[in-house]
């Protein structure tokens, strides 16, 4: 398989677990940044002379109509599908009792687990360890920030550490000094509808420049209730019932921790599997999958 472009690398990460049928606010933000990734590829190849030129091109790249976003999605999806790096599967929410009862069909993208891990762990290692950071990873960091996918990949402790790394980048990397002050996210639909009010200060510099990178983030976590007939059969039987349900819907499941509250890796994200009872006319026993940050 040929080496992935910057646009493909970012798309592989940002489209994972996104609704594949509808232009949701979160997917629009991802697609706008996928468009911006192409501009960054051109910039690294040609080195335009000024920040103003780059900023103008990036802002033009993200100003796409819904029709143009759909065309871009189809193009990048086909590119990744040809390389067998992405596929459509039933959305994880389709395993939720309410969706099962209503017979609602919803679908999502799942990125290839091996390549997703290679890309995200390689980026994490480069950012978290001492040493130089490549221009491509600096671009990916900016794209993750502007799309808010950053908060899907890094834990709070990692975000705290990265705040100092970003300060170093600003001081020592010409590309970071040029790119990091540029913001294109403010016009996204998601920021007026789907973002929380809470601010994060991971991008606050400590260089005395006064630059403050504080961005709201998507509430993308899901809470899925799965009924389990094996409630009274012990932790192992209950977990087996949940895994069967998930795998029947084409989800990739790995058990990282067993016991009363198992930890599962499902389609590149982590979930705690919490025993739960739904209060209905007849109480229903089951488990609730809750997004977990490692």
């Amino acid at each position: 398989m040929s080496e992935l472009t910057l646009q493909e690398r970012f798309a592989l990460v940002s489209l994972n677990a996104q609704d594949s049928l509808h232009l949701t606010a979160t997917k629009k933000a991802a697609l706008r940044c996928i468009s911006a990734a192409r501009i960054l590829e051109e910039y690294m190849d040609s080195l335009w002379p000024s920040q103003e030129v780059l900023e103008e091109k990036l802002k033009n790249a993200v100003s796409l109509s819904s029709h143009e976003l759909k065309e871009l999605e189809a193009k990048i999806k086909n590119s990744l599908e040809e390389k067998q790096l992405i596929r459509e599967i039933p959305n994880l929410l389709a395993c939720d009792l309410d969706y099962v009862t209503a017979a609602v069909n919803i679908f999502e993208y799942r990125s290839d687990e091996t390549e997703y891990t290679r890309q995200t762990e390689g980026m994490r290692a480069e950012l978290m360890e001492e040493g130089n950071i490549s221009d491509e990873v600096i671009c990916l960091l900016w794209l993750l920030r502007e799309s808010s996918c950053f908060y899907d990949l890094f834990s709070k402790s990692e975000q705290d550490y990265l705040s100092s790394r970003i300060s170093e980048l600003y001081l020592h990397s010409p590309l970071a000094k040029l790119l990091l002050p540029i913001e294109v996210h403010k016009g996204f639909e998601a920021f007026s509808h789907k973002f929380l009010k809470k601010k994060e200060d991971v991008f606050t510099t400590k260089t005395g420049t006064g630059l403050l990178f504080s961005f709201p983030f998507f509430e993308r976590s899901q809470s899925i209730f799965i009924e389990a007939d094996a409630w009274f059969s012990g932790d192992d039987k209950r977990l087996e019932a949940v895994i069967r349900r998930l795998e029947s819907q084409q989800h990739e499941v790995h058990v990282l921790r067993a016991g009363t509250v198992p930890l599962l890796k499902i389609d590149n994200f982590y979930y705690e599997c919490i025993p739960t009872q739904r209060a209905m006319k007849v109480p229903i026993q089951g488990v609730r999958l809750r997004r977990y940050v490692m």
Side-chain angles (χ1 to χ4, degrees):
M1 184 178 63
S2 60
E3 189 67 25
L4 299 182
T5 65
L6 175 69
Q7 188 180 54
E8 289 172 330
R9 291 179 69 184
F10 176 69
L12 183 81
V13 174
S14 62
L15 290 180
N16 184 65
Q18 293 275 13
D19 185 323
S20 63
L21 300 180
H22 307 98
L23 273 180
T24 63
T26 55
K27 191 168 72 173
K28 284 181 180 180
L31 289 169
R32 293 189 191 285
C33 287
I34 288 171
S35 177
R38 181 60 184 153
I39 300 300
L40 293 176
E41 288 176 2
E42 295 174 358
Y43 175 79
M44 288 190 290
D45 288 340
S46 63
L47 289 181
W48 298 315
S50 71
Q51 184 182 56
E52 289 76 16
V53 172
L54 177 58
E55 183 170 5
E56 180 181 3
K57 286 181 175 290
L58 287 171
K59 289 186 175 181
N60 287 337
V62 302
S63 300
L64 302 180
S65 66
S66 293
H67 177 72
E68 290 170 325
L69 289 173
K70 290 178 180 178
E71 287 185 335
L72 174 60
E73 179 182 1
K75 182 178 180 180
I76 195 68
K77 171 193 170 185
N78 290 339
S79 176
L80 293 175
E81 280 185 333
E82 287 177 2
K83 298 179 179 180
Q84 298 183 329
L85 292 179
I86 202 168
R87 59 179 297 196
E88 290 183 79
I89 63 170
N91 191 294
L92 188 58
L93 279 172
C95 295
D96 185 272
L97 177 61
D98 292 334
Y99 285 83
V100 172
T101 303
V104 174
N105 293 319
I106 50 178
F107 291 84
E108 68 183 10
Y109 293 119
R110 183 181 70 206
S111 298
D112 175 77
E113 181 179 18
T114 300
E115 187 62 26
Y116 182 94
T117 300
R118 187 173 81 89
Q119 293 294 338
T120 56
E121 291 305 311
M123 180 169 47
R124 177 179 281 103
E126 195 168 325
L127 287 169
M128 299 298 294
E129 297 173 4
E130 293 185 5
N132 294 330
I133 297 177
S134 67
D135 284 351
E136 275 218 356
V137 168
I138 291 172
C139 289
L140 286 168
L141 179 65
W142 182 85
L143 291 165
L144 290 172
R145 182 190 83 184
E146 294 300 301
S147 65
S148 203
C149 293
F150 178 85
Y151 301 95
D152 283 335
L153 298 184
F154 298 99
S155 67
K156 185 61 172 69
S157 60
E158 288 173 330
Q159 293 170 31
D160 291 340
Y161 172 75
L162 283 175
S163 64
S164 61
R165 288 287 275 160
I166 290 166
S167 295
E168 293 174 15
L169 280 176
Y170 185 82
L171 288 173
H172 303 298
S173 166
L175 177 59
K177 191 169 185 176
L178 178 73
L179 182 60
L180 291 180
I182 297 175
E183 300 177 12
V184 297
H185 64 256
K186 287 187 176 179
F188 291 0
E189 304 93 336
F191 277 82
S192 60
H193 299 296
K194 296 294 184 181
F195 278 76
L196 301 180
K197 298 296 184 182
K198 181 179 177 182
K199 301 287 186 176
E200 295 288 343
D201 62 357
V202 62
F203 288 100
T204 304
T205 66
K206 298 178 180 177
T207 61
T209 62
L211 290 174
L212 177 64
F213 299 105
S214 58
F215 303 92
F217 59 96
F218 288 121
E219 180 56 66
R220 297 182 62 189
S221 60
Q222 296 173 321
S223 181
I224 297 105
F225 179 80
I226 301 176
E227 77 278 13
D229 295 335
W231 177 268
F232 295 107
S233 301
D235 296 339
D236 292 341
K237 293 294 184 182
R238 183 168 62 248
L239 181 58
E240 289 174 8
V242 171
I243 292 174
R244 280 197 301 272
R245 167 68 65 82
L246 293 168
E247 290 182 340
S248 73
Q249 296 295 310
Q250 305 176 50
H251 298 286
E252 291 186 356
V253 186
H254 301 281
V255 179
L256 305 182
R257 181 185 70 214
T260 304
V261 182
L263 179 63
L264 307 179
K265 183 180 180 182
I266 307 171
D267 301 333
N268 301 310
F269 287 127
Y270 300 93
Y271 292 84
E272 285 187 310
C273 192
I274 304 168
T276 308
Q277 176 175 291
R278 282 277 295 268
M280 303 179 74
K281 289 183 178 179
V282 177
I284 298 178
Q285 311 285 358
V287 299
R288 186 167 295 282
L289 297 178
R290 184 177 65 189
R291 280 285 297 276
Y292 181 84
V293 179
M294 295 294 285

